[in-house]
Amino acid sequence: MSAQPDHAPVTPYAPAPGAPAELLAQLRADKRADRWVPVFEREWAAALEESRRTFSLAGLYDVVQVWQGRIASAPAVDAFVASGYDDSEFIDMAELRGRRR
């Protein structure tokens, strides 16, 4: 019998060292820069402070990963909005929860 696991361990996501700067440059070049850049900077600052307290880079990695996903999905969101798809049937769950109170 072998003491080796029968599966490969999942390696945690670790962005390249320059990823946050590249991400910020992409955000600044995007048409949503006026909204996205301040939010990214706020989230980055909060994750940086958490990292200083906990000695963990996980929060910083999470911020980078989430924003990379947002940038990657932005063209699909733009295409959806431009398609004129009628989403007026959308149910706002927050609004529904507010009505129950």
Side-chain angles (χ1 to χ4, degrees), residues 31-76:
K31 66 183 179 184
R32 302 165 194 84
D34 58 330
R35 291 174 297 168
W36 280 11
V37 170
V39 176
F40 172 78
E41 289 175 338
R42 234 183 352 261
E43 290 178 7
W44 182 257
L48 191 56
E49 185 56 37
E50 176 189 340
S51 176
R52 288 182 181 128
R53 283 193 327 271
T54 63
F55 299 100
S56 170
L57 299 175
L60 295 170
Y61 291 172
D62 288 344
V63 170
V64 169
Q65 190 172 20
V66 165
W67 280 95
Q68 286 173 334
R70 286 179 181 156
I71 287 175
S73 64

mmCIF file of all heavy atoms in Angstrom, residues 31-76:
data_model
loop_
_atom_site.group_PDB
_atom_site.id
_atom_site.type_symbol
_atom_site.label_atom_id
_atom_site.label_comp_id
_atom_site.label_asym_id
_atom_site.label_seq_id
_atom_site.Cartn_x
_atom_site.Cartn_y
_atom_site.Cartn_z
ATOM 1 N N LYS A 31 -14.587 51.444 -20.247
ATOM 2 C CA LYS A 31 -15.604 52.512 -20.261
ATOM 3 C C LYS A 31 -16.309 52.668 -18.917
ATOM 4 O O LYS A 31 -16.945 53.674 -18.658
ATOM 5 C CB LYS A 31 -16.626 52.248 -21.367
ATOM 6 C CG LYS A 31 -17.464 51.014 -21.162
ATOM 7 C CD LYS A 31 -18.402 50.792 -22.329
ATOM 8 C CE LYS A 31 -19.223 49.534 -22.134
ATOM 9 N NZ LYS A 31 -20.059 49.285 -23.308
ATOM 10 N N ARG A 32 -16.177 51.672 -18.051
ATOM 11 C CA ARG A 32 -16.785 51.732 -16.719
ATOM 12 C C ARG A 32 -15.812 52.246 -15.660
ATOM 13 O O ARG A 32 -16.069 52.103 -14.461
ATOM 14 C CB ARG A 32 -17.263 50.334 -16.307
ATOM 15 C CG ARG A 32 -18.245 49.709 -17.232
ATOM 16 C CD ARG A 32 -18.360 48.220 -16.938
ATOM 17 N NE ARG A 32 -19.030 47.513 -17.984
ATOM 18 C CZ ARG A 32 -18.463 47.054 -19.096
ATOM 19 N NH1 ARG A 32 -17.190 47.227 -19.318
ATOM 20 N NH2 ARG A 32 -19.164 46.422 -20.003
ATOM 21 N N ALA A 33 -14.712 52.799 -16.070
ATOM 22 C CA ALA A 33 -13.634 53.189 -15.150
ATOM 23 C C ALA A 33 -14.124 54.086 -14.020
ATOM 24 O O ALA A 33 -13.699 53.914 -12.878
ATOM 25 C CB ALA A 33 -12.510 53.880 -15.918
ATOM 26 N N ASP A 34 -15.019 55.001 -14.311
ATOM 27 C CA ASP A 34 -15.478 55.922 -13.265
ATOM 28 C C ASP A 34 -16.186 55.207 -12.126
ATOM 29 O O ASP A 34 -16.172 55.670 -10.985
ATOM 30 C CB ASP A 34 -16.381 57.012 -13.859
ATOM 31 C CG ASP A 34 -17.609 56.456 -14.569
ATOM 32 O OD1 ASP A 34 -17.528 55.332 -15.106
ATOM 33 O OD2 ASP A 34 -18.639 57.153 -14.600
ATOM 34 N N ARG A 35 -16.786 54.046 -12.404
ATOM 35 C CA ARG A 35 -17.444 53.263 -11.352
ATOM 36 C C ARG A 35 -16.535 52.166 -10.814
ATOM 37 O O ARG A 35 -16.496 51.924 -9.616
ATOM 38 C CB ARG A 35 -18.722 52.619 -11.885
ATOM 39 C CG ARG A 35 -19.814 53.629 -12.187
ATOM 40 C CD ARG A 35 -20.978 52.970 -12.845
ATOM 41 N NE ARG A 35 -20.489 52.434 -14.135
ATOM 42 C CZ ARG A 35 -21.131 51.603 -14.907
ATOM 43 N NH1 ARG A 35 -22.314 51.185 -14.556
ATOM 44 N NH2 ARG A 35 -20.635 51.191 -16.050
ATOM 45 N N TRP A 36 -15.831 51.490 -11.707
ATOM 46 C CA TRP A 36 -15.066 50.316 -11.313
ATOM 47 C C TRP A 36 -13.780 50.620 -10.551
ATOM 48 O O TRP A 36 -13.440 49.918 -9.603
ATOM 49 C CB TRP A 36 -14.734 49.470 -12.539
ATOM 50 C CG TRP A 36 -15.875 48.607 -12.995
ATOM 51 C CD1 TRP A 36 -17.170 48.665 -12.578
ATOM 52 C CD2 TRP A 36 -15.814 47.549 -13.947
ATOM 53 N NE1 TRP A 36 -17.921 47.710 -13.225
ATOM 54 C CE2 TRP A 36 -17.121 47.017 -14.065
ATOM 55 C CE3 TRP A 36 -14.796 47.018 -14.718
ATOM 56 C CZ2 TRP A 36 -17.410 45.958 -14.915
ATOM 57 C CZ3 TRP A 36 -15.093 45.973 -15.557
ATOM 58 C CH2 TRP A 36 -16.386 45.443 -15.656
ATOM 59 N N VAL A 37 -13.046 51.632 -10.973
ATOM 60 C CA VAL A 37 -11.745 51.913 -10.340
ATOM 61 C C VAL A 37 -11.901 52.223 -8.847
ATOM 62 O O VAL A 37 -11.186 51.635 -8.025
ATOM 63 C CB VAL A 37 -10.979 53.022 -11.094
ATOM 64 C CG1 VAL A 37 -9.766 53.481 -10.310
ATOM 65 C CG2 VAL A 37 -10.566 52.522 -12.477
ATOM 66 N N PRO A 38 -12.810 53.110 -8.443
ATOM 67 C CA PRO A 38 -12.940 53.373 -6.999
ATOM 68 C C PRO A 38 -13.332 52.131 -6.200
ATOM 69 O O PRO A 38 -12.841 51.928 -5.082
ATOM 70 C CB PRO A 38 -14.031 54.443 -6.912
ATOM 71 C CG PRO A 38 -14.142 55.032 -8.260
ATOM 72 C CD PRO A 38 -13.694 53.982 -9.226
ATOM 73 N N VAL A 39 -14.192 51.294 -6.768
ATOM 74 C CA VAL A 39 -14.614 50.084 -6.059
ATOM 75 C C VAL A 39 -13.438 49.118 -5.926
ATOM 76 O O VAL A 39 -13.203 48.557 -4.850
ATOM 77 C CB VAL A 39 -15.812 49.414 -6.768
ATOM 78 C CG1 VAL A 39 -16.174 48.109 -6.088
ATOM 79 C CG2 VAL A 39 -17.003 50.360 -6.797
ATOM 80 N N PHE A 40 -12.692 48.929 -7.017
ATOM 81 C CA PHE A 40 -11.513 48.055 -6.958
ATOM 82 C C PHE A 40 -10.529 48.569 -5.909
ATOM 83 O O PHE A 40 -10.016 47.795 -5.094
ATOM 84 C CB PHE A 40 -10.822 47.960 -8.317
ATOM 85 C CG PHE A 40 -9.510 47.231 -8.254
ATOM 86 C CD1 PHE A 40 -9.469 45.848 -8.194
ATOM 87 C CD2 PHE A 40 -8.315 47.931 -8.225
ATOM 88 C CE1 PHE A 40 -8.250 45.168 -8.112
ATOM 89 C CE2 PHE A 40 -7.096 47.271 -8.143
ATOM 90 C CZ PHE A 40 -7.061 45.880 -8.093
ATOM 91 N N GLU A 41 -10.257 49.864 -5.939
ATOM 92 C CA GLU A 41 -9.294 50.431 -4.994
ATOM 93 C C GLU A 41 -9.764 50.260 -3.546
ATOM 94 O O GLU A 41 -8.955 49.976 -2.665
ATOM 95 C CB GLU A 41 -9.036 51.902 -5.327
ATOM 96 C CG GLU A 41 -8.228 52.062 -6.598
ATOM 97 C CD GLU A 41 -8.057 53.506 -7.038
ATOM 98 O OE1 GLU A 41 -8.878 54.370 -6.625
ATOM 99 O OE2 GLU A 41 -7.119 53.765 -7.802
ATOM 100 N N ARG A 42 -11.058 50.419 -3.304
ATOM 101 C CA ARG A 42 -11.602 50.212 -1.959
ATOM 102 C C ARG A 42 -11.454 48.754 -1.517
ATOM 103 O O ARG A 42 -11.014 48.474 -0.410
ATOM 104 C CB ARG A 42 -13.084 50.619 -1.942
ATOM 105 C CG ARG A 42 -13.442 51.610 -0.907
ATOM 106 C CD ARG A 42 -14.926 51.977 -0.831
ATOM 107 N NE ARG A 42 -15.830 51.496 -1.845
ATOM 108 C CZ ARG A 42 -16.238 52.214 -2.891
ATOM 109 N NH1 ARG A 42 -15.808 53.437 -3.080
ATOM 110 N NH2 ARG A 42 -17.092 51.702 -3.754
ATOM 111 N N GLU A 43 -11.824 47.838 -2.419
ATOM 112 C CA GLU A 43 -11.721 46.417 -2.093
ATOM 113 C C GLU A 43 -10.259 46.003 -1.901
ATOM 114 O O GLU A 43 -9.943 45.216 -1.012
ATOM 115 C CB GLU A 43 -12.386 45.565 -3.179
ATOM 116 C CG GLU A 43 -13.885 45.693 -3.181
ATOM 117 C CD GLU A 43 -14.551 44.887 -4.282
ATOM 118 O OE1 GLU A 43 -13.877 44.098 -4.983
ATOM 119 O OE2 GLU A 43 -15.780 45.046 -4.446
ATOM 120 N N TRP A 44 -9.373 46.537 -2.731
ATOM 121 C CA TRP A 44 -7.947 46.220 -2.619
ATOM 122 C C TRP A 44 -7.400 46.735 -1.286
ATOM 123 O O TRP A 44 -6.661 46.033 -0.596
ATOM 124 C CB TRP A 44 -7.174 46.803 -3.800
ATOM 125 C CG TRP A 44 -5.728 46.453 -3.750
ATOM 126 C CD1 TRP A 44 -4.698 47.249 -3.367
ATOM 127 C CD2 TRP A 44 -5.145 45.187 -4.061
ATOM 128 N NE1 TRP A 44 -3.515 46.560 -3.434
ATOM 129 C CE2 TRP A 44 -3.762 45.289 -3.856
ATOM 130 C CE3 TRP A 44 -5.667 43.971 -4.499
ATOM 131 C CZ2 TRP A 44 -2.886 44.237 -4.074
ATOM 132 C CZ3 TRP A 44 -4.790 42.920 -4.728
ATOM 133 C CH2 TRP A 44 -3.421 43.057 -4.502
ATOM 134 N N ALA A 45 -7.761 47.958 -0.925
ATOM 135 C CA ALA A 45 -7.279 48.539 0.335
ATOM 136 C C ALA A 45 -7.769 47.724 1.534
ATOM 137 O O ALA A 45 -7.006 47.475 2.477
ATOM 138 C CB ALA A 45 -7.724 49.992 0.449
ATOM 139 N N ALA A 46 -9.023 47.291 1.498
ATOM 140 C CA ALA A 46 -9.563 46.480 2.593
ATOM 141 C C ALA A 46 -8.847 45.133 2.670
ATOM 142 O O ALA A 46 -8.497 44.667 3.764
ATOM 143 C CB ALA A 46 -11.069 46.273 2.398
ATOM 144 N N ALA A 47 -8.595 44.521 1.525
ATOM 145 C CA ALA A 47 -7.891 43.234 1.506
ATOM 146 C C ALA A 47 -6.447 43.400 1.965
ATOM 147 O O ALA A 47 -5.899 42.527 2.653
ATOM 148 C CB ALA A 47 -7.936 42.625 0.108
ATOM 149 N N LEU A 48 -5.839 44.507 1.606
ATOM 150 C CA LEU A 48 -4.466 44.782 2.027
ATOM 151 C C LEU A 48 -4.387 44.950 3.541
ATOM 152 O O LEU A 48 -3.488 44.404 4.195
ATOM 153 C CB LEU A 48 -3.946 46.031 1.321
ATOM 154 C CG LEU A 48 -2.474 46.341 1.424
ATOM 155 C CD1 LEU A 48 -1.631 45.177 0.924
ATOM 156 C CD2 LEU A 48 -2.149 47.593 0.625
ATOM 157 N N GLU A 49 -5.349 45.654 4.103
ATOM 158 C CA GLU A 49 -5.389 45.826 5.558
ATOM 159 C C GLU A 49 -5.609 44.480 6.254
ATOM 160 O O GLU A 49 -4.957 44.177 7.251
ATOM 161 C CB GLU A 49 -6.489 46.818 5.955
ATOM 162 C CG GLU A 49 -6.533 47.139 7.419
ATOM 163 C CD GLU A 49 -5.213 47.675 7.966
ATOM 164 O OE1 GLU A 49 -4.511 48.431 7.269
ATOM 165 O OE2 GLU A 49 -4.865 47.321 9.112
ATOM 166 N N GLU A 50 -6.513 43.685 5.712
ATOM 167 C CA GLU A 50 -6.744 42.352 6.271
ATOM 168 C C GLU A 50 -5.471 41.507 6.184
ATOM 169 O O GLU A 50 -5.122 40.791 7.120
ATOM 170 C CB GLU A 50 -7.865 41.646 5.512
ATOM 171 C CG GLU A 50 -8.098 40.214 5.975
ATOM 172 C CD GLU A 50 -9.060 39.453 5.079
ATOM 173 O OE1 GLU A 50 -9.828 40.086 4.348
ATOM 174 O OE2 GLU A 50 -9.021 38.226 5.123
ATOM 175 N N SER A 51 -4.767 41.625 5.087
ATOM 176 C CA SER A 51 -3.525 40.879 4.895
ATOM 177 C C SER A 51 -2.476 41.280 5.925
ATOM 178 O O SER A 51 -1.747 40.431 6.445
ATOM 179 C CB SER A 51 -2.990 41.127 3.478
ATOM 180 O OG SER A 51 -1.759 40.505 3.289
ATOM 181 N N ARG A 52 -2.426 42.546 6.239
ATOM 182 C CA ARG A 52 -1.476 43.022 7.259
ATOM 183 C C ARG A 52 -1.813 42.457 8.635
ATOM 184 O O ARG A 52 -0.933 42.132 9.421
ATOM 185 C CB ARG A 52 -1.474 44.543 7.310
ATOM 186 C CG ARG A 52 -0.815 45.179 6.124
ATOM 187 C CD ARG A 52 -0.801 46.696 6.264
ATOM 188 N NE ARG A 52 -0.178 47.301 5.108
ATOM 189 C CZ ARG A 52 -0.724 48.253 4.388
ATOM 190 N NH1 ARG A 52 -1.909 48.755 4.723
ATOM 191 N NH2 ARG A 52 -0.098 48.744 3.342
ATOM 192 N N ARG A 53 -3.115 42.357 8.934
ATOM 193 C CA ARG A 53 -3.542 41.822 10.233
ATOM 194 C C ARG A 53 -3.361 40.319 10.340
ATOM 195 O O ARG A 53 -3.016 39.807 11.391
ATOM 196 C CB ARG A 53 -5.017 42.164 10.485
ATOM 197 C CG ARG A 53 -5.281 43.577 10.902
ATOM 198 C CD ARG A 53 -6.716 43.760 11.430
ATOM 199 N NE ARG A 53 -7.721 42.927 10.807
ATOM 200 C CZ ARG A 53 -8.428 43.245 9.715
ATOM 201 N NH1 ARG A 53 -8.216 44.401 9.133
ATOM 202 N NH2 ARG A 53 -9.342 42.436 9.235
ATOM 203 N N THR A 54 -3.632 39.608 9.249
ATOM 204 C CA THR A 54 -3.674 38.142 9.304
ATOM 205 C C THR A 54 -2.433 37.461 8.744
ATOM 206 O O THR A 54 -2.301 36.255 8.877
ATOM 207 C CB THR A 54 -4.888 37.627 8.524
ATOM 208 O OG1 THR A 54 -4.734 37.986 7.144
ATOM 209 C CG2 THR A 54 -6.186 38.185 9.080
ATOM 210 N N PHE A 55 -1.567 38.223 8.087
ATOM 211 C CA PHE A 55 -0.393 37.655 7.425
ATOM 212 C C PHE A 55 -0.788 36.633 6.363
ATOM 213 O O PHE A 55 -0.093 35.656 6.140
ATOM 214 C CB PHE A 55 0.582 37.030 8.429
ATOM 215 C CG PHE A 55 1.112 38.014 9.418
ATOM 216 C CD1 PHE A 55 0.565 38.088 10.694
ATOM 217 C CD2 PHE A 55 2.135 38.876 9.074
ATOM 218 C CE1 PHE A 55 1.041 39.013 11.611
ATOM 219 C CE2 PHE A 55 2.611 39.806 9.978
ATOM 220 C CZ PHE A 55 2.068 39.877 11.253
ATOM 221 N N SER A 56 -1.919 36.867 5.719
ATOM 222 C CA SER A 56 -2.410 35.981 4.673
ATOM 223 C C SER A 56 -2.645 36.786 3.398
ATOM 224 O O SER A 56 -3.149 37.908 3.452
ATOM 225 C CB SER A 56 -3.729 35.336 5.103
ATOM 226 O OG SER A 56 -4.320 34.653 4.021
ATOM 227 N N LEU A 57 -2.298 36.195 2.275
ATOM 228 C CA LEU A 57 -2.521 36.852 0.988
ATOM 229 C C LEU A 57 -3.846 36.439 0.352
ATOM 230 O O LEU A 57 -4.184 36.911 -0.725
ATOM 231 C CB LEU A 57 -1.368 36.520 0.031
ATOM 232 C CG LEU A 57 0.012 36.986 0.486
ATOM 233 C CD1 LEU A 57 1.074 36.498 -0.488
ATOM 234 C CD2 LEU A 57 0.054 38.496 0.612
ATOM 235 N N ALA A 58 -4.594 35.585 1.004
ATOM 236 C CA ALA A 58 -5.826 35.039 0.429
ATOM 237 C C ALA A 58 -6.807 36.136 0.022
ATOM 238 O O ALA A 58 -7.407 36.064 -1.057
ATOM 239 C CB ALA A 58 -6.481 34.080 1.407
ATOM 240 N N GLY A 59 -6.999 37.136 0.845
ATOM 241 C CA GLY A 59 -7.933 38.213 0.519
ATOM 242 C C GLY A 59 -7.509 38.995 -0.705
ATOM 243 O O GLY A 59 -8.328 39.366 -1.544
ATOM 244 N N LEU A 60 -6.214 39.238 -0.813
ATOM 245 C CA LEU A 60 -5.690 39.947 -1.985
ATOM 246 C C LEU A 60 -5.890 39.111 -3.242
ATOM 247 O O LEU A 60 -6.286 39.625 -4.290
ATOM 248 C CB LEU A 60 -4.209 40.269 -1.788
ATOM 249 C CG LEU A 60 -3.904 41.245 -0.645
ATOM 250 C CD1 LEU A 60 -2.410 41.292 -0.375
ATOM 251 C CD2 LEU A 60 -4.433 42.627 -0.966
ATOM 252 N N TYR A 61 -5.619 37.814 -3.123
ATOM 253 C CA TYR A 61 -5.815 36.916 -4.263
ATOM 254 C C TYR A 61 -7.276 36.890 -4.680
ATOM 255 O O TYR A 61 -7.596 36.875 -5.874
ATOM 256 C CB TYR A 61 -5.364 35.498 -3.919
ATOM 257 C CG TYR A 61 -3.878 35.313 -3.741
ATOM 258 C CD1 TYR A 61 -3.376 34.108 -3.272
ATOM 259 C CD2 TYR A 61 -2.959 36.322 -4.030
ATOM 260 C CE1 TYR A 61 -2.016 33.909 -3.107
ATOM 261 C CE2 TYR A 61 -1.599 36.134 -3.856
ATOM 262 C CZ TYR A 61 -1.130 34.925 -3.397
ATOM 263 O OH TYR A 61 0.212 34.730 -3.238
ATOM 264 N N ASP A 62 -8.175 36.889 -3.700
ATOM 265 C CA ASP A 62 -9.612 36.869 -3.996
ATOM 266 C C ASP A 62 -10.034 38.120 -4.764
ATOM 267 O O ASP A 62 -10.801 38.030 -5.723
ATOM 268 C CB ASP A 62 -10.435 36.756 -2.719
ATOM 269 C CG ASP A 62 -10.372 35.387 -2.082
ATOM 270 O OD1 ASP A 62 -9.937 34.421 -2.756
ATOM 271 O OD2 ASP A 62 -10.760 35.270 -0.893
ATOM 272 N N VAL A 63 -9.542 39.277 -4.339
ATOM 273 C CA VAL A 63 -9.897 40.528 -5.019
ATOM 274 C C VAL A 63 -9.442 40.471 -6.471
ATOM 275 O O VAL A 63 -10.202 40.798 -7.390
ATOM 276 C CB VAL A 63 -9.297 41.752 -4.291
ATOM 277 C CG1 VAL A 63 -9.455 43.018 -5.125
ATOM 278 C CG2 VAL A 63 -9.949 41.932 -2.932
ATOM 279 N N VAL A 64 -8.216 40.027 -6.694
ATOM 280 C CA VAL A 64 -7.695 39.946 -8.063
ATOM 281 C C VAL A 64 -8.530 38.971 -8.879
ATOM 282 O O VAL A 64 -8.938 39.270 -10.007
ATOM 283 C CB VAL A 64 -6.204 39.540 -8.071
ATOM 284 C CG1 VAL A 64 -5.735 39.207 -9.476
ATOM 285 C CG2 VAL A 64 -5.357 40.652 -7.489
ATOM 286 N N GLN A 65 -8.830 37.810 -8.323
ATOM 287 C CA GLN A 65 -9.579 36.795 -9.059
ATOM 288 C C GLN A 65 -10.990 37.274 -9.408
ATOM 289 O O GLN A 65 -11.455 37.086 -10.533
ATOM 290 C CB GLN A 65 -9.644 35.507 -8.241
ATOM 291 C CG GLN A 65 -10.179 34.333 -9.022
ATOM 292 C CD GLN A 65 -10.063 33.028 -8.255
ATOM 293 O OE1 GLN A 65 -9.926 33.018 -7.039
ATOM 294 N NE2 GLN A 65 -10.098 31.930 -8.965
ATOM 295 N N VAL A 66 -11.662 37.909 -8.468
ATOM 296 C CA VAL A 66 -13.022 38.406 -8.722
ATOM 297 C C VAL A 66 -13.007 39.465 -9.816
ATOM 298 O O VAL A 66 -13.836 39.435 -10.736
ATOM 299 C CB VAL A 66 -13.650 38.959 -7.420
ATOM 300 C CG1 VAL A 66 -14.877 39.803 -7.701
ATOM 301 C CG2 VAL A 66 -13.973 37.820 -6.474
ATOM 302 N N TRP A 67 -12.058 40.385 -9.749
ATOM 303 C CA TRP A 67 -12.021 41.449 -10.748
ATOM 304 C C TRP A 67 -11.569 40.947 -12.108
ATOM 305 O O TRP A 67 -12.027 41.444 -13.139
ATOM 306 C CB TRP A 67 -11.170 42.622 -10.251
ATOM 307 C CG TRP A 67 -11.977 43.463 -9.320
ATOM 308 C CD1 TRP A 67 -12.009 43.397 -7.958
ATOM 309 C CD2 TRP A 67 -12.926 44.462 -9.681
ATOM 310 N NE1 TRP A 67 -12.921 44.298 -7.465
ATOM 311 C CE2 TRP A 67 -13.487 44.968 -8.491
ATOM 312 C CE3 TRP A 67 -13.352 44.983 -10.887
ATOM 313 C CZ2 TRP A 67 -14.452 45.961 -8.496
ATOM 314 C CZ3 TRP A 67 -14.315 45.991 -10.891
ATOM 315 C CH2 TRP A 67 -14.855 46.465 -9.698
ATOM 316 N N GLN A 68 -10.713 39.951 -12.145
ATOM 317 C CA GLN A 68 -10.367 39.342 -13.436
ATOM 318 C C GLN A 68 -11.616 38.722 -14.059
ATOM 319 O O GLN A 68 -11.825 38.831 -15.268
ATOM 320 C CB GLN A 68 -9.266 38.290 -13.260
ATOM 321 C CG GLN A 68 -7.906 38.891 -13.015
ATOM 322 C CD GLN A 68 -6.842 37.853 -12.674
ATOM 323 O OE1 GLN A 68 -7.139 36.776 -12.158
ATOM 324 N NE2 GLN A 68 -5.597 38.187 -12.947
ATOM 325 N N GLY A 69 -12.434 38.113 -13.232
ATOM 326 C CA GLY A 69 -13.684 37.539 -13.722
ATOM 327 C C GLY A 69 -14.644 38.600 -14.223
ATOM 328 O O GLY A 69 -15.311 38.415 -15.248
ATOM 329 N N ARG A 70 -14.724 39.703 -13.525
ATOM 330 C CA ARG A 70 -15.613 40.793 -13.954
ATOM 331 C C ARG A 70 -15.176 41.345 -15.299
ATOM 332 O O ARG A 70 -16.008 41.586 -16.183
ATOM 333 C CB ARG A 70 -15.637 41.903 -12.913
ATOM 334 C CG ARG A 70 -16.415 41.536 -11.688
ATOM 335 C CD ARG A 70 -16.417 42.623 -10.652
ATOM 336 N NE ARG A 70 -17.176 42.179 -9.488
ATOM 337 C CZ ARG A 70 -17.011 42.649 -8.280
ATOM 338 N NH1 ARG A 70 -16.143 43.610 -8.049
ATOM 339 N NH2 ARG A 70 -17.727 42.186 -7.280
ATOM 340 N N ILE A 71 -13.882 41.550 -15.461
ATOM 341 C CA ILE A 71 -13.374 42.073 -16.729
ATOM 342 C C ILE A 71 -13.604 41.055 -17.846
ATOM 343 O O ILE A 71 -14.001 41.426 -18.954
ATOM 344 C CB ILE A 71 -11.882 42.453 -16.610
ATOM 345 C CG1 ILE A 71 -11.755 43.719 -15.779
ATOM 346 C CG2 ILE A 71 -11.252 42.637 -17.981
ATOM 347 C CD1 ILE A 71 -10.336 44.137 -15.497
ATOM 348 N N ALA A 72 -13.373 39.792 -17.561
ATOM 349 C CA ALA A 72 -13.550 38.748 -18.573
ATOM 350 C C ALA A 72 -15.012 38.615 -19.002
ATOM 351 O O ALA A 72 -15.298 38.332 -20.169
ATOM 352 C CB ALA A 72 -13.029 37.417 -18.050
ATOM 353 N N SER A 73 -15.944 38.822 -18.077
ATOM 354 C CA SER A 73 -17.361 38.656 -18.413
ATOM 355 C C SER A 73 -18.003 39.941 -18.935
ATOM 356 O O SER A 73 -19.129 39.893 -19.445
ATOM 357 C CB SER A 73 -18.132 38.149 -17.202
ATOM 358 O OG SER A 73 -18.105 39.103 -16.160
ATOM 359 N N ALA A 74 -17.322 41.055 -18.851
ATOM 360 C CA ALA A 74 -17.903 42.334 -19.282
ATOM 361 C C ALA A 74 -18.375 42.323 -20.737
ATOM 362 O O ALA A 74 -19.479 42.820 -21.021
ATOM 363 C CB ALA A 74 -16.920 43.474 -19.039
ATOM 364 N N PRO A 75 -17.613 41.764 -21.691
ATOM 365 C CA PRO A 75 -18.121 41.741 -23.077
ATOM 366 C C PRO A 75 -19.429 40.957 -23.223
ATOM 367 O O PRO A 75 -20.314 41.362 -23.981
ATOM 368 C CB PRO A 75 -16.988 41.067 -23.871
ATOM 369 C CG PRO A 75 -15.751 41.316 -23.060
ATOM 370 C CD PRO A 75 -16.227 41.286 -21.629
ATOM 371 N N ALA A 76 -19.580 39.870 -22.489
ATOM 372 C CA ALA A 76 -20.822 39.099 -22.558
ATOM 373 C C ALA A 76 -21.984 39.891 -21.970
ATOM 374 O O ALA A 76 -23.100 39.860 -22.505
ATOM 375 C CB ALA A 76 -20.656 37.769 -21.822
#
